[in-house]
Amino acid sequence: EPEVTQTPSHQVTQMGQEVILRCVPISNHLYFYWYRQILGQKVEFLVSFYNNEISEKSEIFDDQFSVERPDGSNFTLKIRSTKLEDSAMYFCASTPKGVTYEQYFGPGTRLTVT
Amino acid sequence: GENVEQHPSTLSVQEGDSAVIKCTYSDSASNYFPWYKQELGKRPQLIIDIRSNVGEKKDQRIAVTLNKTAKHFSLHITETQPEDSAVYFCAASMKTSYDKVIFGPGTSLSVIP
């Protein structure tokens, strides 16, 4: 069964550095999302992306964040200048076009900012 | 925007007993309610979902009920097993098929052998 994949599984970075988290959604999916989960807390929506543009973003998704679909397969989340509070698990998800509602989550990237 | 509340935050049951988790949502436009199971360090896994035109749905030991009038929905797990131990999240999503999912705060379920 096709799955969403994410790399790296764990990223350690220093405060103020830029990081890029990568996702490969399921190939025939058209809607893409990033969520984050701070340790021990709920999963929070960051941004949704469709047709090469952002559909919706949350308050968390400020100017330090950006998303891109640089080619036909990858979907990236960039954090320009990381802060300690950006430490979290970041999940990518995708959904096919049509009546299905289910979002398929990737395994996540654990980001640790020191 | 949508807000999803969930209780209890922790739940311990004896193996074989039932577990019930309850959620409420705030936005009447929400019409899709998935439940996710998350094991430690893993991705959320969809275990069952329900749409607003249905009041109840069952899949083996798992059932969900939805009361749209009261904006309540619940997860019922019967004959619990140790492998059911995990964090369970209820969630809500709006009318479009590609809308974001808003998660509840989670319930940590422990099934004691």
Side-chain angles (χ1 to χ4, degrees), chain A residues 25 29-33 49-51 55 93-98, chain B residues 97-98:
Chain A
H29 287 192
L30 297 177
Y31 302 93
F32 314 115
Y33 312 82
F49 190 88
Y50 169 69
N51 201 25
S55 303
S94 67
T95 303
K97 186 177 181 181
Chain B
S97 63
Y98 46 84

Side-chain angles (χ1 to χ4, degrees), chain A residues 3-4 31 33 35 37 42-43 45 56 89 91 95 98-103 105-107, chain B residues 31-32 36 38 41-44 46 51 89 94-101 103-105:
Chain A
E3 287 190 334
V4 176
Y31 302 93
Y33 312 82
Y35 293 83
Q37 185 178 32
K42 67 179 177 181
V43 179
F45 168 75
E56 186 175 1
M89 183 75 96
F91 292 104
T95 303
V99 298
T100 182
Y101 286 53
E102 181 179 352
Q103 293 193 1
F105 283 82
Chain B
N31 67 346
Y32 172 65
Y36 291 89
Q38 187 179 36
K42 301 287 183 63
R43 77 186 83 190
L46 179 73
R51 300 187 190 183
F89 292 97
M94 297 227 190
K95 55 188 177 219
T96 58
S97 63
Y98 46 84
D99 192 58
K100 64 184 180 293
V101 174
F103 284 76

Side-chain angles (χ1 to χ4, degrees), chain B residues 4 18-19 24 29 46 53 66 91-92 101:
Chain B
V4 179
S18 295
T24 60
L46 179 73
N53 58 345
L66 171 65
V101 174

Side-chain angles (χ1 to χ4, degrees), chain A residues 41-104:
Chain A
Q41 298 186 22
K42 67 179 177 181
V43 179
E44 300 174 288
F45 168 75
L46 292 179
V47 65
S48 58
F49 190 88
Y50 169 69
N51 201 25
N52 284 319
E53 60 183 24
I54 291 174
S55 303
E56 186 175 1
K57 57 185 180 180
S58 72
E59 294 175 351
I60 303 167
F61 194 89
D62 61 22
D63 292 344
Q64 293 301 310
F65 291 87
S66 63
V67 290
E68 191 178 34
R69 187 155 164 83
D71 53 41
S73 60
N74 289 283
F75 179 50
T76 62
L77 174 70
K78 181 192 291 186
I79 309 174
R80 287 189 185 80
S81 178
T82 50
K83 303 186 283 284
L84 293 176
E85 52 265 39
D86 293 326
S87 295
M89 183 75 96
Y90 288 81
F91 292 104
C92 173
S94 67
T95 303
K97 186 177 181 181
V99 298
T100 182
Y101 286 53
E102 181 179 352
Q103 293 193 1
Y104 295 77

Side-chain angles (χ1 to χ4, degrees), chain B residues 62-84:
Chain B
I62 295 174
V64 291
T65 58
L66 171 65
N67 182 330
K68 279 217 70 168
T69 303
K71 295 184 196 155
H72 290 174
F73 58 117
S74 300
L75 176 72
H76 303 250
I77 306 174
T78 58
E79 300 171 22
T80 53
Q81 300 165 3
E83 51 265 38
D84 293 330

Side-chain angles (χ1 to χ4, degrees), chain A residues 9-41:
Chain A
S9 58
H10 190 191
Q11 174 88 49
V12 181
T13 190
Q14 288 190 326
M15 195 166 52
Q17 295 296 304
E18 175 183 286
V19 293
I20 297 176
L21 310 183
R22 302 180 192 280
C23 167
V24 179
I26 296 173
S27 63
N28 64 343
H29 287 192
L30 297 177
Y31 302 93
F32 314 115
Y33 312 82
W34 283 101
Y35 293 83
R36 81 168 185 192
Q37 185 178 32
I38 295 171
L39 187 63
Q41 298 186 22

